Amino acid sequence: MAKPFLKWAGGKARLAPLIVERVRRESLAIARYHEPFLGGGAVFFALQEAGLIDDASLADGNADLIATYQAVRDDVEGVIEALGEHSRRYLARDPSQRGLYYYEVRNRRRLRRADRKAARLLFLNKTCYNGLYRVNSRGHFNVPHGRYVNPTILDAERLQEASGALAATKLRADDFAEACARARPGDFVYLDPPYQPLSATSAFTQYTSGDFGFADQERLRAAFDDLTARGVHALLSNSSHPDIHELYGDYALELVPMGRSINSDGRGRAAIDELLVSNFGRVGDASAAVPARSRA
């Protein structure tokens, strides 16, 4: 019954049950599951809990994130011990002084032990402003202190359950194109890239030291075409932006109303359409495997 142990902007806790339903409806026999934009891992955990996947290859362009998953998989008790130390030191302080400890930990960047690196990221994730993960151009985490009244920093049971779920997974810090290239016929790939911003103020793509721009969206479309041509089932989520509709217009599109999971203003958490793109109808039909625009 493992669940995500990180709060992640764009996390798919609400969408994951729908993806499980789609996979069941298609009766996919999944040889291996691939998730090139791992983030909080909600879809991976949901598919595994549903008994739909046994073998998984998980990746993300954020090397610190992947290192955290690896530490939870390989040494969860070490992570729990280090995170417990952060929790005790932080919560022992007067609330007005907790920010001092937060920034002290945020400024520690030369940790060598994997468990301590993971505990640092988890501590920052639980105590930073709005649970965001954002880095500057140098790759340094730069989200301010969140000032929660009583944050749950350590959930040992959840981390232990996640470690068990991750035990047989492959975890890599890779670009999505490399992750997609590993997929084979009979596999299933779920793609959850940084969404195309619906407005100038909604842009949030800096999970790594480089932004994810529209050129990357186009590169992702090419990877989606390649998966289709090679007979790999794939499902992609993105914003319901006109450019994304045009980019994937020759695939099956479905609008799904979803609330934003992270927003500083509660009024911004109202339902908003997201777009699901699938190639399910094309895989297995050689004449339709590669969309017309890709053959040109």
Side-chain angles (χ1 to χ4, degrees):
M1 301 292 290
K3 303 289 183 184
F5 54 87
L6 286 162
K7 186 175 182 182
W8 206 252
K12 292 298 175 287
R14 294 183 181 93
L15 189 60
L18 188 147
I19 292 174
V20 168
E21 176 193 322
R22 296 295 182 275
V23 171
R24 281 179 168 152
R25 189 173 69 190
E26 294 294 326
S27 300
L28 297 185
I30 302 171
R32 173 177 282 194
Y33 173 69
H34 301 260
E35 192 168 340
F37 298 94
L38 181 56
V43 174
F44 160 71
F45 288 119
L47 288 169
Q48 190 187 68
E49 181 181 338
L52 295 171
I53 56 174
D54 294 316
D55 192 3
S57 179
L58 310 175
D60 200 281
N62 185 323
D64 290 337
L65 176 69
I66 290 298
T68 298
Y69 274 94
Q70 290 170 334
V72 169
R73 179 192 64 187
D74 299 337
D75 184 17
V76 69
E77 296 306 325
V79 174
I80 288 170
E81 181 180 353
L83 186 57
E85 182 179 346
H86 283 310
S87 181
R88 288 188 295 272
R89 290 185 176 185
Y90 179 84
L91 295 175
R93 297 197 177 200
D94 184 273
S96 65
Q97 299 299 307
R98 288 174 179 173
L100 296 176
Y101 184 76
Y102 172 85
Y103 289 111
E104 177 188 330
V105 174
R106 197 183 78 168
N107 290 333
R108 295 177 190 170
R109 302 191 182 103
R110 296 185 179 180
L111 299 173
R112 293 184 179 180
R113 285 177 46 175
D115 57 349
R116 294 190 179 275
K117 287 182 180 179
R120 173 183 178 271
L121 187 148
L122 287 164
F123 168 75
L124 295 175
N125 179 255
K126 302 301 181 182
T127 56
C128 72
Y129 176 74
N130 224 19
L132 295 173
Y133 188 96
R134 183 189 66 203
V135 296
N136 59 24
S137 59
R138 293 178 294 174
H140 295 161
F141 184 82
N142 66 352
V143 180
H145 182 225
R147 300 181 184 177
Y148 298 103
V149 175
N150 188 30
T152 301
I153 297 170
L154 173 62
D155 187 335
E157 184 177 0
R158 178 168 287 210
L159 287 170
Q160 289 164 340
E161 289 170 348
S163 180
L166 293 164
T169 65
K170 301 261 190 324
L171 289 159
R172 299 179 177 89
D174 273 347
D175 178 77
F176 67 83
E178 296 176 60
C180 288
R182 287 192 288 270
R184 298 290 180 264
D187 291 357
F188 172 52
V189 180
Y190 170 59
L191 297 151
D192 180 34
Y195 281 15
Q196 182 68 9
L198 294 173
S199 68
T201 57
S202 69
F204 187 77
T205 60
Q206 203 148 352
Y207 305 105
T208 64
S209 57
D211 284 338
F212 196 93
F214 195 71
D216 295 295
Q217 299 284 4
E218 293 178 314
R219 196 162 60 89
L220 181 57
R221 157 73 201 225
F224 200 84
D225 285 345
D226 183 59
L227 290 169
T228 305
R230 292 190 289 111
V232 179
H233 288 98
L235 185 69
L236 176 145
S237 55
N238 211 315
S239 64
S240 183
H241 190 286
D243 290 345
I244 301 300
H245 278 265
E246 181 178 358
L247 196 61
Y248 292 96
D250 44 4
Y251 283 102
L253 306 181
E254 178 183 2
L255 288 179
V256 182
M258 287 288 154
R260 293 186 179 94
S261 60
I262 296 181
N263 194 304
S264 59
D265 185 345
R267 293 169 298 179
R269 298 188 182 125
I272 185 171
D273 283 343
E274 295 188 16
L275 188 66
L276 281 182
V277 183
S278 81
N279 70 357
F280 296 164
R282 294 182 182 274
V283 171
D285 180 354
S287 65
V290 183
R293 65 181 289 170
S294 299
R295 295 193 189 109

